[in-house]
Amino acid sequence: MKVLSFGEILLRLAAPGYTKLFQKDSLDATFCGGEANVAVSLAIFGLDSAFLTKLPEGTLGEAAVNSMRYFGVDTSKIVYGDGRMGLYYLEKGASQRSSKVIYDRAYSAIALAKRSDFDWKSIFENIEWFHWTGINPALSDNVAEICLDAVKTAREKGVTVSCDLNYRKNLWSSEKAKSVMAELMPYVDVCIANEEDADKVLSIKPDNNDVETGKLNKAGYESVAKEICSRYGCKYVAITLRESYSASVNGWSGMLYSSAEDKAYFSRKYDIQIVDRVGGGDSFGAGLIYGLITGKQCQDAIDFAVAASCLKHTIEGDYNRTTVADVESLLNNGGSGRVLR
């Protein structure tokens, strides 16, 4: 099965280690992006993975493409044109100091893209799964229209559609997100979210939750998933459950709700000593897509997704360089961290 991910690939400029931005005279440069991260992870898992975006012509665009081609991602559908490379600055947090992200992505090539840039009927040839996120329509009204064209065509062609809501308050308001996403959500088969996404994008909030003290109401999350399926017709809803004890230590687990079974499945929880949490949600989404595509039962699919994402939190950069064997080792051996010889 071939999976197409659509979105923006960015240049990430991160302060070295756990220093503050510009504390040192250098920044670590890598490529990333919510949908690009998923495409790379799926390719590493061994799936036929493609990525679509619009990039500026020249050295930066070529370098971004090559960063994905290295992992085996099909980049042949990418289009090129006017605009710039979007980027963001990252300061990784530690202990009680939160991580900080500063976006610089206005007027990027994808934000300036036109509907005519993408012939979706042609693009979806030989594609069976389409993944996008709520970051896309937040980039510009043009991209919101492009996303609507995409999901409508995907529905016509019988392509499964997954969407990670990925609310970003630095890109758009909750009110704008609710208005735009209400049009897009009826075309989504698999919805991925966290508690903030569901609240800020869909006005659906679990009761009696306090993620900072670790008190999660499982029944509340199940009711959120049921409401999403009821309102938009989704087949599955996956919710990441992050308990932020500090910037350095998080509890990490997840839930997968199947509308056909009317049943919620919860993963085991990992207490993670975080190396780099950015891209953690994307690695969860990729793990879930892999699990569902390869025919795993719901419990196995959510366990795989959470374990894959747990491992990503220990890896520098946005791309999850974790293999299926790595994930299965964690699932089977419990994550003691002992040296494997």
mmCIF file of all heavy atoms in Angstrom, residues 182-229:
data_model
loop_
_atom_site.group_PDB
_atom_site.id
_atom_site.type_symbol
_atom_site.label_atom_id
_atom_site.label_comp_id
_atom_site.label_asym_id
_atom_site.label_seq_id
_atom_site.Cartn_x
_atom_site.Cartn_y
_atom_site.Cartn_z
ATOM 1 N N ALA A 182 -13.977 22.374 10.360
ATOM 2 C CA ALA A 182 -15.337 21.824 10.311
ATOM 3 C C ALA A 182 -15.701 21.373 8.900
ATOM 4 O O ALA A 182 -16.452 20.415 8.713
ATOM 5 C CB ALA A 182 -16.344 22.869 10.798
ATOM 6 N N GLU A 183 -15.139 22.051 7.893
ATOM 7 C CA GLU A 183 -15.390 21.684 6.495
ATOM 8 C C GLU A 183 -14.565 20.474 6.066
ATOM 9 O O GLU A 183 -14.973 19.701 5.203
ATOM 10 C CB GLU A 183 -15.042 22.874 5.586
ATOM 11 C CG GLU A 183 -16.242 23.484 4.890
ATOM 12 C CD GLU A 183 -15.810 24.471 3.818
ATOM 13 O OE1 GLU A 183 -15.014 25.364 4.140
ATOM 14 O OE2 GLU A 183 -16.283 24.336 2.656
ATOM 15 N N LEU A 184 -13.394 20.310 6.673
ATOM 16 C CA LEU A 184 -12.461 19.274 6.261
ATOM 17 C C LEU A 184 -12.681 17.941 6.973
ATOM 18 O O LEU A 184 -12.466 16.869 6.402
ATOM 19 C CB LEU A 184 -11.021 19.750 6.516
ATOM 20 C CG LEU A 184 -10.546 20.910 5.646
ATOM 21 C CD1 LEU A 184 -9.331 21.602 6.276
ATOM 22 C CD2 LEU A 184 -10.197 20.433 4.247
ATOM 23 N N MET A 185 -13.120 18.002 8.214
ATOM 24 C CA MET A 185 -13.201 16.795 9.039
ATOM 25 C C MET A 185 -14.154 15.709 8.515
ATOM 26 O O MET A 185 -13.903 14.517 8.722
ATOM 27 C CB MET A 185 -13.591 17.170 10.470
ATOM 28 C CG MET A 185 -12.437 17.707 11.302
ATOM 29 S SD MET A 185 -11.111 16.502 11.501
ATOM 30 C CE MET A 185 -11.960 15.241 12.465
ATOM 31 N N PRO A 186 -15.259 16.050 7.827
ATOM 32 C CA PRO A 186 -16.144 14.982 7.324
ATOM 33 C C PRO A 186 -15.484 14.045 6.318
ATOM 34 O O PRO A 186 -16.053 12.992 6.001
ATOM 35 C CB PRO A 186 -17.299 15.765 6.687
ATOM 36 C CG PRO A 186 -17.325 17.073 7.401
ATOM 37 C CD PRO A 186 -15.881 17.379 7.660
ATOM 38 N N TYR A 187 -14.302 14.397 5.834
ATOM 39 C CA TYR A 187 -13.605 13.551 4.859
ATOM 40 C C TYR A 187 -12.470 12.737 5.500
ATOM 41 O O TYR A 187 -11.701 12.096 4.809
ATOM 42 C CB TYR A 187 -13.038 14.424 3.735
ATOM 43 C CG TYR A 187 -14.098 15.176 2.984
ATOM 44 C CD1 TYR A 187 -14.433 16.480 3.340
ATOM 45 C CD2 TYR A 187 -14.810 14.580 1.941
ATOM 46 C CE1 TYR A 187 -15.429 17.181 2.669
ATOM 47 C CE2 TYR A 187 -15.802 15.269 1.264
ATOM 48 C CZ TYR A 187 -16.105 16.566 1.627
ATOM 49 O OH TYR A 187 -17.092 17.248 0.963
ATOM 50 N N VAL A 188 -12.382 12.786 6.830
ATOM 51 C CA VAL A 188 -11.298 12.122 7.551
ATOM 52 C C VAL A 188 -11.766 10.766 8.076
ATOM 53 O O VAL A 188 -12.795 10.674 8.744
ATOM 54 C CB VAL A 188 -10.805 13.009 8.719
ATOM 55 C CG1 VAL A 188 -9.792 12.259 9.582
ATOM 56 C CG2 VAL A 188 -10.201 14.301 8.185
ATOM 57 N N ASP A 189 -11.003 9.731 7.780
ATOM 58 C CA ASP A 189 -11.297 8.380 8.275
ATOM 59 C C ASP A 189 -10.610 8.100 9.604
ATOM 60 O O ASP A 189 -11.177 7.441 10.481
ATOM 61 C CB ASP A 189 -10.835 7.325 7.249
ATOM 62 C CG ASP A 189 -11.528 7.475 5.911
ATOM 63 O OD1 ASP A 189 -12.757 7.287 5.874
ATOM 64 O OD2 ASP A 189 -10.857 7.801 4.916
ATOM 65 N N VAL A 190 -9.375 8.587 9.755
ATOM 66 C CA VAL A 190 -8.590 8.348 10.968
ATOM 67 C C VAL A 190 -8.144 9.698 11.516
ATOM 68 O O VAL A 190 -7.363 10.414 10.877
ATOM 69 C CB VAL A 190 -7.355 7.469 10.682
ATOM 70 C CG1 VAL A 190 -6.568 7.222 11.969
ATOM 71 C CG2 VAL A 190 -7.769 6.146 10.042
ATOM 72 N N CYS A 191 -8.646 10.044 12.691
ATOM 73 C CA CYS A 191 -8.319 11.330 13.317
ATOM 74 C C CYS A 191 -7.335 11.095 14.459
ATOM 75 O O CYS A 191 -7.542 10.226 15.301
ATOM 76 C CB CYS A 191 -9.584 11.997 13.849
ATOM 77 S SG CYS A 191 -9.288 13.561 14.714
ATOM 78 N N ILE A 192 -6.266 11.894 14.474
ATOM 79 C CA ILE A 192 -5.238 11.818 15.512
ATOM 80 C C ILE A 192 -5.216 13.156 16.237
ATOM 81 O O ILE A 192 -5.230 14.215 15.608
ATOM 82 C CB ILE A 192 -3.860 11.520 14.893
ATOM 83 C CG1 ILE A 192 -3.914 10.217 14.095
ATOM 84 C CG2 ILE A 192 -2.782 11.451 15.975
ATOM 85 C CD1 ILE A 192 -2.717 10.014 13.180
ATOM 86 N N ALA A 193 -5.189 13.108 17.563
ATOM 87 C CA ALA A 193 -5.294 14.356 18.321
ATOM 88 C C ALA A 193 -4.672 14.199 19.703
ATOM 89 O O ALA A 193 -4.291 13.107 20.119
ATOM 90 C CB ALA A 193 -6.772 14.758 18.459
ATOM 91 N N ASN A 194 -4.573 15.321 20.421
ATOM 92 C CA ASN A 194 -4.346 15.294 21.860
ATOM 93 C C ASN A 194 -5.446 16.126 22.509
ATOM 94 O O ASN A 194 -6.359 16.608 21.824
ATOM 95 C CB ASN A 194 -2.945 15.791 22.231
ATOM 96 C CG ASN A 194 -2.700 17.244 21.823
ATOM 97 O OD1 ASN A 194 -3.625 18.051 21.706
ATOM 98 N ND2 ASN A 194 -1.445 17.599 21.597
ATOM 99 N N GLU A 195 -5.391 16.285 23.823
ATOM 100 C CA GLU A 195 -6.510 16.947 24.504
ATOM 101 C C GLU A 195 -6.652 18.408 24.084
ATOM 102 O O GLU A 195 -7.764 18.925 23.969
ATOM 103 C CB GLU A 195 -6.380 16.815 26.031
ATOM 104 C CG GLU A 195 -5.258 17.616 26.670
ATOM 105 C CD GLU A 195 -3.902 16.956 26.521
ATOM 106 O OE1 GLU A 195 -3.838 15.768 26.161
ATOM 107 O OE2 GLU A 195 -2.886 17.640 26.753
ATOM 108 N N GLU A 196 -5.515 19.095 23.816
ATOM 109 C CA GLU A 196 -5.593 20.486 23.379
ATOM 110 C C GLU A 196 -6.184 20.589 21.980
ATOM 111 O O GLU A 196 -7.013 21.466 21.712
ATOM 112 C CB GLU A 196 -4.208 21.137 23.396
ATOM 113 C CG GLU A 196 -4.256 22.607 22.988
ATOM 114 C CD GLU A 196 -2.890 23.260 22.906
ATOM 115 O OE1 GLU A 196 -1.894 22.540 22.729
ATOM 116 O OE2 GLU A 196 -2.823 24.504 23.007
ATOM 117 N N ASP A 197 -5.769 19.699 21.060
ATOM 118 C CA ASP A 197 -6.304 19.706 19.699
ATOM 119 C C ASP A 197 -7.824 19.573 19.709
ATOM 120 O O ASP A 197 -8.542 20.318 19.034
ATOM 121 C CB ASP A 197 -5.728 18.537 18.886
ATOM 122 C CG ASP A 197 -4.229 18.647 18.680
ATOM 123 O OD1 ASP A 197 -3.705 19.768 18.688
ATOM 124 O OD2 ASP A 197 -3.591 17.597 18.506
ATOM 125 N N ALA A 198 -8.313 18.571 20.425
ATOM 126 C CA ALA A 198 -9.749 18.309 20.442
ATOM 127 C C ALA A 198 -10.524 19.511 20.964
ATOM 128 O O ALA A 198 -11.612 19.837 20.467
ATOM 129 C CB ALA A 198 -10.045 17.075 21.294
ATOM 130 N N ASP A 199 -9.964 20.190 21.953
ATOM 131 C CA ASP A 199 -10.612 21.354 22.545
ATOM 132 C C ASP A 199 -10.537 22.568 21.618
ATOM 133 O O ASP A 199 -11.559 23.177 21.273
ATOM 134 C CB ASP A 199 -9.955 21.663 23.888
ATOM 135 C CG ASP A 199 -10.572 22.867 24.588
ATOM 136 O OD1 ASP A 199 -11.718 23.241 24.249
ATOM 137 O OD2 ASP A 199 -9.914 23.440 25.480
ATOM 138 N N LYS A 200 -9.328 22.908 21.164
ATOM 139 C CA LYS A 200 -9.126 24.142 20.413
ATOM 140 C C LYS A 200 -9.632 24.068 18.972
ATOM 141 O O LYS A 200 -10.002 25.089 18.394
ATOM 142 C CB LYS A 200 -7.641 24.503 20.386
ATOM 143 C CG LYS A 200 -7.024 24.725 21.760
ATOM 144 C CD LYS A 200 -7.622 25.913 22.472
ATOM 145 C CE LYS A 200 -6.886 26.194 23.768
ATOM 146 N NZ LYS A 200 -7.498 27.350 24.512
ATOM 147 N N VAL A 201 -9.640 22.852 18.393
ATOM 148 C CA VAL A 201 -10.036 22.711 16.988
ATOM 149 C C VAL A 201 -11.480 22.242 16.844
ATOM 150 O O VAL A 201 -12.183 22.649 15.915
ATOM 151 C CB VAL A 201 -9.088 21.728 16.256
ATOM 152 C CG1 VAL A 201 -9.509 21.540 14.806
ATOM 153 C CG2 VAL A 201 -7.653 22.236 16.321
ATOM 154 N N LEU A 202 -11.934 21.388 17.773
ATOM 155 C CA LEU A 202 -13.259 20.792 17.626
ATOM 156 C C LEU A 202 -14.225 21.149 18.753
ATOM 157 O O LEU A 202 -15.377 20.718 18.728
ATOM 158 C CB LEU A 202 -13.121 19.257 17.551
ATOM 159 C CG LEU A 202 -12.174 18.719 16.469
ATOM 160 C CD1 LEU A 202 -12.117 17.195 16.558
ATOM 161 C CD2 LEU A 202 -12.603 19.157 15.088
ATOM 162 N N SER A 203 -13.780 21.915 19.731
ATOM 163 C CA SER A 203 -14.612 22.272 20.897
ATOM 164 C C SER A 203 -15.110 21.035 21.650
ATOM 165 O O SER A 203 -16.216 21.017 22.186
ATOM 166 C CB SER A 203 -15.820 23.125 20.468
ATOM 167 O OG SER A 203 -15.410 24.348 19.931
ATOM 168 N N ILE A 204 -14.277 20.011 21.703
ATOM 169 C CA ILE A 204 -14.612 18.787 22.434
ATOM 170 C C ILE A 204 -13.551 18.587 23.497
ATOM 171 O O ILE A 204 -12.356 18.512 23.183
ATOM 172 C CB ILE A 204 -14.665 17.563 21.493
ATOM 173 C CG1 ILE A 204 -15.696 17.798 20.380
ATOM 174 C CG2 ILE A 204 -14.997 16.297 22.270
ATOM 175 C CD1 ILE A 204 -15.694 16.714 19.318
ATOM 176 N N LYS A 205 -13.964 18.496 24.762
ATOM 177 C CA LYS A 205 -13.004 18.467 25.856
ATOM 178 C C LYS A 205 -13.349 17.366 26.855
ATOM 179 O O LYS A 205 -14.505 17.228 27.255
ATOM 180 C CB LYS A 205 -12.997 19.826 26.564
ATOM 181 C CG LYS A 205 -11.917 20.002 27.613
ATOM 182 C CD LYS A 205 -11.922 21.423 28.134
ATOM 183 C CE LYS A 205 -10.797 21.647 29.139
ATOM 184 N NZ LYS A 205 -10.778 23.049 29.638
ATOM 185 N N PRO A 206 -12.340 16.552 27.268
ATOM 186 C CA PRO A 206 -12.610 15.531 28.281
ATOM 187 C C PRO A 206 -12.810 16.164 29.649
ATOM 188 O O PRO A 206 -12.238 17.227 29.954
ATOM 189 C CB PRO A 206 -11.348 14.661 28.262
ATOM 190 C CG PRO A 206 -10.282 15.586 27.785
ATOM 191 C CD PRO A 206 -10.937 16.527 26.821
ATOM 192 N N ASP A 207 -13.621 15.543 30.476
ATOM 193 C CA ASP A 207 -13.885 16.044 31.823
ATOM 194 C C ASP A 207 -12.855 15.512 32.814
ATOM 195 O O ASP A 207 -12.291 14.434 32.639
ATOM 196 C CB ASP A 207 -15.282 15.623 32.298
ATOM 197 C CG ASP A 207 -16.384 16.232 31.451
ATOM 198 O OD1 ASP A 207 -16.205 17.384 30.993
ATOM 199 O OD2 ASP A 207 -17.409 15.554 31.239
ATOM 200 N N ASN A 208 -12.614 16.287 33.875
ATOM 201 C CA ASN A 208 -11.840 15.839 35.039
ATOM 202 C C ASN A 208 -10.442 15.359 34.683
ATOM 203 O O ASN A 208 -9.975 14.324 35.168
ATOM 204 C CB ASN A 208 -12.592 14.722 35.774
ATOM 205 C CG ASN A 208 -13.979 15.155 36.205
ATOM 206 O OD1 ASN A 208 -14.160 16.274 36.685
ATOM 207 N ND2 ASN A 208 -14.957 14.291 36.029
ATOM 208 N N ASN A 209 -9.749 16.122 33.847
ATOM 209 C CA ASN A 209 -8.372 15.792 33.493
ATOM 210 C C ASN A 209 -7.412 16.830 34.054
ATOM 211 O O ASN A 209 -7.729 18.017 34.101
ATOM 212 C CB ASN A 209 -8.195 15.744 31.970
ATOM 213 C CG ASN A 209 -8.393 14.347 31.425
ATOM 214 O OD1 ASN A 209 -8.800 13.444 32.133
ATOM 215 N ND2 ASN A 209 -8.098 14.184 30.154
ATOM 216 N N ASP A 210 -6.247 16.382 34.471
ATOM 217 C CA ASP A 210 -5.183 17.276 34.901
ATOM 218 C C ASP A 210 -3.869 16.641 34.488
ATOM 219 O O ASP A 210 -3.286 15.850 35.219
ATOM 220 C CB ASP A 210 -5.224 17.489 36.417
ATOM 221 C CG ASP A 210 -4.249 18.569 36.873
ATOM 222 O OD1 ASP A 210 -3.362 18.916 36.079
ATOM 223 O OD2 ASP A 210 -4.373 19.050 38.013
ATOM 224 N N VAL A 211 -3.416 16.976 33.262
ATOM 225 C CA VAL A 211 -2.232 16.305 32.729
ATOM 226 C C VAL A 211 -0.974 16.639 33.523
ATOM 227 O O VAL A 211 -0.019 15.873 33.533
ATOM 228 C CB VAL A 211 -2.009 16.668 31.242
ATOM 229 C CG1 VAL A 211 -3.125 16.123 30.398
ATOM 230 C CG2 VAL A 211 -1.875 18.172 31.060
ATOM 231 N N GLU A 212 -0.968 17.788 34.222
ATOM 232 C CA GLU A 212 0.236 18.169 34.948
ATOM 233 C C GLU A 212 0.421 17.347 36.219
ATOM 234 O O GLU A 212 1.537 17.124 36.664
ATOM 235 C CB GLU A 212 0.198 19.666 35.266
ATOM 236 C CG GLU A 212 0.274 20.517 34.005
ATOM 237 C CD GLU A 212 0.398 21.993 34.308
ATOM 238 O OE1 GLU A 212 0.433 22.343 35.506
ATOM 239 O OE2 GLU A 212 0.466 22.775 33.360
ATOM 240 N N THR A 213 -0.661 16.885 36.821
ATOM 241 C CA THR A 213 -0.540 16.041 38.012
ATOM 242 C C THR A 213 -0.677 14.568 37.671
ATOM 243 O O THR A 213 -0.597 13.715 38.545
ATOM 244 C CB THR A 213 -1.615 16.406 39.050
ATOM 245 O OG1 THR A 213 -2.916 16.207 38.469
ATOM 246 C CG2 THR A 213 -1.483 17.851 39.488
ATOM 247 N N GLY A 214 -0.873 14.274 36.388
ATOM 248 C CA GLY A 214 -0.927 12.875 35.975
ATOM 249 C C GLY A 214 -2.284 12.229 36.156
ATOM 250 O O GLY A 214 -2.408 11.014 36.047
ATOM 251 N N LYS A 215 -3.318 13.018 36.424
ATOM 252 C CA LYS A 215 -4.652 12.444 36.612
ATOM 253 C C LYS A 215 -5.417 12.479 35.294
ATOM 254 O O LYS A 215 -5.933 13.518 34.896
ATOM 255 C CB LYS A 215 -5.411 13.216 37.693
ATOM 256 C CG LYS A 215 -4.773 13.123 39.076
ATOM 257 C CD LYS A 215 -5.535 13.957 40.097
ATOM 258 C CE LYS A 215 -4.882 13.878 41.465
ATOM 259 N NZ LYS A 215 -5.579 14.739 42.462
ATOM 260 N N LEU A 216 -5.459 11.339 34.618
ATOM 261 C CA LEU A 216 -6.140 11.249 33.337
ATOM 262 C C LEU A 216 -7.420 10.446 33.495
ATOM 263 O O LEU A 216 -7.420 9.343 34.048
ATOM 264 C CB LEU A 216 -5.239 10.572 32.301
ATOM 265 C CG LEU A 216 -3.941 11.306 31.942
ATOM 266 C CD1 LEU A 216 -3.145 10.482 30.945
ATOM 267 C CD2 LEU A 216 -4.216 12.689 31.379
ATOM 268 N N ASN A 217 -8.506 11.002 33.005
ATOM 269 C CA ASN A 217 -9.793 10.339 33.070
ATOM 270 C C ASN A 217 -10.030 9.586 31.764
ATOM 271 O O ASN A 217 -10.398 10.189 30.755
ATOM 272 C CB ASN A 217 -10.895 11.378 33.312
ATOM 273 C CG ASN A 217 -12.281 10.762 33.288
ATOM 274 O OD1 ASN A 217 -12.431 9.547 33.418
ATOM 275 N ND2 ASN A 217 -13.294 11.596 33.132
ATOM 276 N N LYS A 218 -9.788 8.272 31.777
ATOM 277 C CA LYS A 218 -9.880 7.490 30.548
ATOM 278 C C LYS A 218 -11.278 7.549 29.943
ATOM 279 O O LYS A 218 -11.435 7.614 28.724
ATOM 280 C CB LYS A 218 -9.466 6.044 30.811
ATOM 281 C CG LYS A 218 -7.984 5.877 31.083
ATOM 282 C CD LYS A 218 -7.604 4.407 31.212
ATOM 283 C CE LYS A 218 -6.096 4.249 31.383
ATOM 284 N NZ LYS A 218 -5.712 2.812 31.483
ATOM 285 N N ALA A 219 -12.292 7.535 30.774
ATOM 286 C CA ALA A 219 -13.665 7.594 30.268
ATOM 287 C C ALA A 219 -13.915 8.910 29.529
ATOM 288 O O ALA A 219 -14.654 8.955 28.544
ATOM 289 C CB ALA A 219 -14.658 7.433 31.407
ATOM 290 N N GLY A 220 -13.266 9.980 29.997
ATOM 291 C CA GLY A 220 -13.418 11.271 29.337
ATOM 292 C C GLY A 220 -12.849 11.260 27.933
ATOM 293 O O GLY A 220 -13.455 11.798 26.999
ATOM 294 N N TYR A 221 -11.704 10.629 27.763
ATOM 295 C CA TYR A 221 -11.112 10.543 26.433
ATOM 296 C C TYR A 221 -11.938 9.656 25.508
ATOM 297 O O TYR A 221 -12.057 9.930 24.302
ATOM 298 C CB TYR A 221 -9.679 10.026 26.523
ATOM 299 C CG TYR A 221 -8.722 11.082 26.995
ATOM 300 C CD1 TYR A 221 -8.171 11.042 28.261
ATOM 301 C CD2 TYR A 221 -8.386 12.154 26.168
ATOM 302 C CE1 TYR A 221 -7.304 12.024 28.697
ATOM 303 C CE2 TYR A 221 -7.531 13.148 26.596
ATOM 304 C CZ TYR A 221 -6.999 13.081 27.863
ATOM 305 O OH TYR A 221 -6.144 14.073 28.290
ATOM 306 N N GLU A 222 -12.496 8.609 26.049
ATOM 307 C CA GLU A 222 -13.364 7.746 25.236
ATOM 308 C C GLU A 222 -14.577 8.520 24.748
ATOM 309 O O GLU A 222 -14.996 8.391 23.596
ATOM 310 C CB GLU A 222 -13.786 6.521 26.041
ATOM 311 C CG GLU A 222 -14.548 5.486 25.233
ATOM 312 C CD GLU A 222 -14.816 4.207 25.992
ATOM 313 O OE1 GLU A 222 -14.242 4.026 27.090
ATOM 314 O OE2 GLU A 222 -15.605 3.379 25.491
ATOM 315 N N SER A 223 -15.133 9.358 25.606
ATOM 316 C CA SER A 223 -16.298 10.155 25.197
ATOM 317 C C SER A 223 -15.925 11.175 24.128
ATOM 318 O O SER A 223 -16.714 11.454 23.224
ATOM 319 C CB SER A 223 -16.915 10.855 26.417
ATOM 320 O OG SER A 223 -16.063 11.878 26.908
ATOM 321 N N VAL A 224 -14.701 11.737 24.204
ATOM 322 C CA VAL A 224 -14.219 12.655 23.182
ATOM 323 C C VAL A 224 -14.139 11.946 21.835
ATOM 324 O O VAL A 224 -14.596 12.454 20.804
ATOM 325 C CB VAL A 224 -12.835 13.224 23.566
ATOM 326 C CG1 VAL A 224 -12.173 13.894 22.356
ATOM 327 C CG2 VAL A 224 -12.961 14.221 24.703
ATOM 328 N N ALA A 225 -13.563 10.744 21.839
ATOM 329 C CA ALA A 225 -13.417 9.985 20.596
ATOM 330 C C ALA A 225 -14.776 9.629 20.011
ATOM 331 O O ALA A 225 -14.986 9.723 18.791
ATOM 332 C CB ALA A 225 -12.607 8.721 20.860
ATOM 333 N N LYS A 226 -15.693 9.225 20.856
ATOM 334 C CA LYS A 226 -17.044 8.884 20.376
ATOM 335 C C LYS A 226 -17.718 10.095 19.748
ATOM 336 O O LYS A 226 -18.384 9.982 18.709
ATOM 337 C CB LYS A 226 -17.894 8.363 21.538
ATOM 338 C CG LYS A 226 -17.566 6.957 21.989
ATOM 339 C CD LYS A 226 -18.537 6.497 23.071
ATOM 340 C CE LYS A 226 -18.275 5.068 23.485
ATOM 341 N NZ LYS A 226 -19.240 4.589 24.501
ATOM 342 N N GLU A 227 -17.548 11.254 20.357
ATOM 343 C CA GLU A 227 -18.167 12.474 19.826
ATOM 344 C C GLU A 227 -17.571 12.843 18.477
ATOM 345 O O GLU A 227 -18.288 13.247 17.558
ATOM 346 C CB GLU A 227 -17.982 13.616 20.820
ATOM 347 C CG GLU A 227 -18.522 14.963 20.345
ATOM 348 C CD GLU A 227 -20.018 14.962 20.077
ATOM 349 O OE1 GLU A 227 -20.732 14.119 20.660
ATOM 350 O OE2 GLU A 227 -20.468 15.806 19.280
ATOM 351 N N ILE A 228 -16.248 12.685 18.324
ATOM 352 C CA ILE A 228 -15.603 12.984 17.046
ATOM 353 C C ILE A 228 -16.138 12.060 15.957
ATOM 354 O O ILE A 228 -16.472 12.491 14.852
ATOM 355 C CB ILE A 228 -14.070 12.851 17.165
ATOM 356 C CG1 ILE A 228 -13.511 13.955 18.065
ATOM 357 C CG2 ILE A 228 -13.418 12.917 15.779
ATOM 358 C CD1 ILE A 228 -12.025 13.819 18.371
ATOM 359 N N CYS A 229 -16.233 10.762 16.269
ATOM 360 C CA CYS A 229 -16.758 9.804 15.289
ATOM 361 C C CYS A 229 -18.212 10.094 14.944
ATOM 362 O O CYS A 229 -18.612 10.025 13.779
ATOM 363 C CB CYS A 229 -16.620 8.373 15.826
ATOM 364 S SG CYS A 229 -14.924 7.765 15.864
#
